[in-house]
């Protein structure tokens, strides 16, 4: 799919962000654990969600998804999902929970955006601590429940978001077993998953800290849950507005999940007002800055590509060090096609201010494509972005929101489907 974007836009107006993709995916995966009907509100209508819903349906969960609401009830659960390979990395979250429920599970290796090696060793090492035998085949992974110890202790070698979620979901239905997970991820989306599971009667303590304790229970009850707003979608629009000197109001996001991001932006001169469920970004003079990504509460890696765009609009220079993924600078080549002055030194980039111009660009991953979409909207002249469809994996109601903030884009080519 190719999109054509008219440049010279000021990103301003008002939008409402959707529910967080990174909450929705693990929460949907956890539906293989339910015993009664649950309702989840604010599920974003994006292609990664569509794929996760197909997977849990294929595992036997009955799911209805309409107007951002998921209604799910248990049906004939099965542990093997062999029909299709998954292009989303979060699919691996099904392995442990299905194994616990069915005694055995089998899935294709997970996919996902190609940002570095992204191994799943922390997930699999954790599952082994539950006495689950894990067998990695060429393109499939198999998990078989063997002897589960009464007390499970897991030390994560890195606070992986996915592994923390996966192991938490795996432990909740191991009745009578106490699990302690150390060096956990503390991201708001991990907390959202914990809150959802607890709302169904799970006994999870300490979510949001680096030590989570879980007492396994027999079954989960009915529940209604609304997922948190998407802080990465919010941050992307904020950075777009700040880069273009526009004023933008963003609804549907609480200050609580944004403060580590707004604090960093304020440090470099961004004028931002935050309210209980919205925020406003004002035109700002941005100072030079140095920033490092890292596990929460450090600055999120998912906003690092967008910050490179912001760097083109600061006074002197911008330096960012990526510490979470080892291959997350491919947007640099795309921004360079637009004239950006960026140098890469290992895991660090330095961006000098520059007025970008339109170019022919390629979308590589979700956040990089969002970055070049905003870059193209602000640049002088017109741009085209190939492989634009990647953006629909994570940005909901894009046409509507782009229109609301004054960005003009059209799809000029849709690839013919290969049957
Ligand atoms: C989640 C987010 C993703 C975000 C990332 C880091 C979802 C659906 N996706 O991805 O948007 O960029 O957190 O904030 O929530 N690692 C290992 N072995 C493992 C697991 C991870 O080496 O078993 C490494 C990864 O290669 C990566 C780092 O740990 O370098 C962080 O990965 P992780 O926190 O697990 O990210 P995801 O859960 O995949």
């Amino acid at each position: 799919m190719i999109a054509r974007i008219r440049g010279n836009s000021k990103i301003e107006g008002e939008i409402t962000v959707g529910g967080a993709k990174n909450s929705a995916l693990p929460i949907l995966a956890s539906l293989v654990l339910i015993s009664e009907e649950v309702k989840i509100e604010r599920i974003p209508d994006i292609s990664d969600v569509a794929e996760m819903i197909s997977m849990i349906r294929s595992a036997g969960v009955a799911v209805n998804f309409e107007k951002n609401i998921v209604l799910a009830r248990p049906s004939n659960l099965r542990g093997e999902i062999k029909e299709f390979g998954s292009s989303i990395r979060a699919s691996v979250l099904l392995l442990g929970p299905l194994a616990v429920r069915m005694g055995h599970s089998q899935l294709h290796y997970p996919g996902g955006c190609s940002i570095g090696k992204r191994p799943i060793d922390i997930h699999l090492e954790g599952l082994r601590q539950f006495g689950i035998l894990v067998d990695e085949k060429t393109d499939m992974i198999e998990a078989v429940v063997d002897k589960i110890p009464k007390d499970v202790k897991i030390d994560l070698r890195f606070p992986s978001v996915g592994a923390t979620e996966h192991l938490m979901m795996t432990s909740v239905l191991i009745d009578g077993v106490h699990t302690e997970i150390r060096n956990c991820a503390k991201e708001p989306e991990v907390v959202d998953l914990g809150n959802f599971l607890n709302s169904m009667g799970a006994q999870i303590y300490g979510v949001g800290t680096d030590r989570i304790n879980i007492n396994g229970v027999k079954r989960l009850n009915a529940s209604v849950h609304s997922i948190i707003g998407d802080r990465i979608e919010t941050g992307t629009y904020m950075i777009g507005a700040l880069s273009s000197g526009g004023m933008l109001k963003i609804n549907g996001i609480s200050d609580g999940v944004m403060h580590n991001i707004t604090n960093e932006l304020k440090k470099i001169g961004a004028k931002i007002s935050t309210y209980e469920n919205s925020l406003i970004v004002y035109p700002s003079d941005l100072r030079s800055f140095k920033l490092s990504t890292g596990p929460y509460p450090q600055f999120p890696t998912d906003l690092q590509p967008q910050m490179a765009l912001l760097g083109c609009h600061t006074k002197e220079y911008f330096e960012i060090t990526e510490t979470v993924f080892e291959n997350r600078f491919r947007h640099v080549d795309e921004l360079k096609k637009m004239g950006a002055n960026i140098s890469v030194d290992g895991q660090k980039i330095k961006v000098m201010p520059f007025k970008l111009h339109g170019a022919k660009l390629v979308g590589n991953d979700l956040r990089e494509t969002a970055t070049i979409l905003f870059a193209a909207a602000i640049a002088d002249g017109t741009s085209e972005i190939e492989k634009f469809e990647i953006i629909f994996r994570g940005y909901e109601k894009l046409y509507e929101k782009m229109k609301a903030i004054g960005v003009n884009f059209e799809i000029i080519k849709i690839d013919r489907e290969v049957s």
Side-chain angles (χ1 to χ4, degrees):
M1 179 187 283
I2 302 178
R4 180 182 291 146
I5 298 102
R6 205 167 65 200
N8 305 95
S9 301
K10 190 173 259 190
I11 290 161
E12 58 189 357
E14 183 169 350
I15 56 157
T16 299
V17 288
K21 166 178 97 67
N22 290 352
S23 274
L25 295 177
I27 283 177
L28 288 169
S30 77
L31 295 179
V32 299
L33 298 169
I34 61 174
S35 292
E36 293 179 27
E37 184 165 292
V38 300
K39 179 179 177 184
I40 308 156
E41 297 164 345
R42 221 180 165 194
I43 295 285
D45 194 357
I46 51 178
S47 56
D48 273 11
V49 158
E51 183 155 350
M52 180 57 87
I53 289 178
S54 303
M55 289 199 79
I56 57 171
R57 276 189 183 134
S58 133
V61 184
V63 181
N64 181 281
F65 180 39
E66 242 176 299
K67 297 191 176 145
N68 297 109
I69 294 176
V70 158
L71 284 176
R73 56 186 167 72
S75 184
N76 292 321
L77 208 61
R78 61 195 188 95
E80 295 179 358
I81 309 179
K82 284 185 178 169
E83 309 76 283
F84 51 89
S86 171
S87 62
I88 53 169
R89 183 170 160 83
S91 63
V92 73
L93 302 181
L94 294 163
L95 191 68
L98 280 175
V100 167
R101 287 214 87 181
M102 309 307 296
H104 165 253
S105 65
Q106 197 172 11
L107 304 173
H108 281 273
Y109 252 100
C113 283
S114 43
I115 41 175
K117 291 202 274 292
R118 305 190 87 177
I120 52 169
D121 59 308
I122 304 174
H123 295 243
L124 302 189
E125 189 42 44
L127 292 184
R128 290 188 179 108
Q129 301 305 312
F130 289 106
I132 296 176
L133 307 174
V134 182
D135 189 9
E136 298 180 72
K137 301 190 163 75
T138 326
D139 66 333
M140 305 287 287
I141 332 171
E142 198 174 359
V144 179
V145 177
D146 193 24
K147 278 201 191 91
I148 301 184
K150 273 274 163 236
D151 231 326
V152 177
K153 282 205 168 31
I154 305 170
D155 269 300
L156 306 182
R157 73 164 167 80
F158 178 86
S160 153
V161 172
T164 303
E165 294 167 341
H166 191 177
L167 301 172
M168 196 159 84
M169 284 156 60
T170 302
S171 64
V172 287
L173 282 186
I174 311 183
D175 189 26
V177 169
H178 169 255
T179 304
E180 181 172 84
I181 314 172
R182 294 185 190 158
N183 196 24
C184 296
K186 299 183 279 234
E187 269 70 0
E189 295 78 15
V190 177
V191 177
D192 204 19
L193 171 68
N195 289 343
F196 170 60
L197 293 169
N198 279 345
S199 77
M200 297 188 291
Q203 290 184 15
I204 304 173
Y205 307 94
V207 70
T209 73
D210 57 10
R211 200 172 284 204
I212 299 179
N213 279 276
I214 305 113
N215 290 327
V217 296
K218 256 199 186 64
R219 70 195 304 278
L220 299 175
N221 313 317
S223 170
V224 178
H225 182 78
S226 182
I227 68 170
I228 58 170
D230 196 316
R231 61 197 174 102
I232 306 301
E233 184 191 15
T234 304
T236 305
Y237 283 95
M238 287 172 81
I239 293 168
L242 285 167
S243 302
S244 75
M247 178 173 146
L248 181 66
K249 179 167 189 220
I250 304 179
N251 302 310
I253 190 78
S254 78
D255 186 32
V257 299
M258 287 303 294
H259 60 82
N260 66 327
I261 297 168
T262 49
N263 284 351
E264 287 301 326
L265 292 172
K266 281 179 182 171
K267 274 190 212 159
I268 61 167
K271 291 185 202 139
I272 303 164
S273 304
T274 51
Y275 305 94
E276 210 179 304
N277 199 32
S278 65
L279 58 84
I280 302 177
V281 183
Y282 301 94
S284 314
D285 285 329
L286 300 173
R287 292 187 281 275
S288 303
F289 60 104
K290 284 186 185 175
L291 190 70
S292 179
T293 64
Y296 190 85
Q298 295 177 60
F299 196 80
T301 171
D302 284 354
L303 286 176
Q304 178 263 112
Q306 299 86 320
M307 289 299 274
L309 167 64
L310 192 65
C312 299
H313 301 90
T314 51
K315 273 219 178 83
E316 283 169 67
Y317 72 92
F318 148 90
E319 226 177 76
I320 188 160
T321 307
E322 171 60 56
T323 74
V324 181
F325 291 107
E326 71 282 358
N327 180 21
R328 207 166 194 182
F329 285 142
R330 281 170 317 160
H331 51 289
V332 168
D333 287 338
E334 301 308 306
L335 292 173
K336 278 184 173 172
K337 290 181 194 165
M338 309 176 85
N341 183 351
I342 308 179
S343 54
V344 182
D345 176 12
Q347 288 295 92
K348 193 192 284 179
I349 59 170
K350 189 164 183 178
V351 187
M352 307 302 282
F354 198 88
K355 176 74 186 146
L356 302 177
H357 56 73
K360 281 198 189 293
L361 306 162
V362 186
N364 284 309
D365 96 341
L366 175 60
R367 307 303 172 188
E368 295 177 5
T369 307
T371 301
I372 57 174
L373 167 62
F374 281 101
I378 299 165
D380 276 336
T382 301
S383 298
E384 283 181 12
I385 304 179
E386 247 180 73
K387 295 203 213 158
F388 187 71
E389 65 280 3
I390 296 171
I391 204 162
F392 298 107
R393 290 182 61 166
Y395 288 85
E396 188 192 39
K397 299 183 181 144
L398 192 70
Y399 296 97
E400 197 182 291
K401 289 179 195 173
M402 287 291 146
K403 204 166 164 210
I405 60 171
V407 174
N408 185 308
F409 85 97
E410 56 177 334
I411 303 299
I412 56 169
K413 183 168 172 265
I414 297 178
D415 303 323
R416 212 157 8 108
E417 295 223 348
V418 184
S419 56

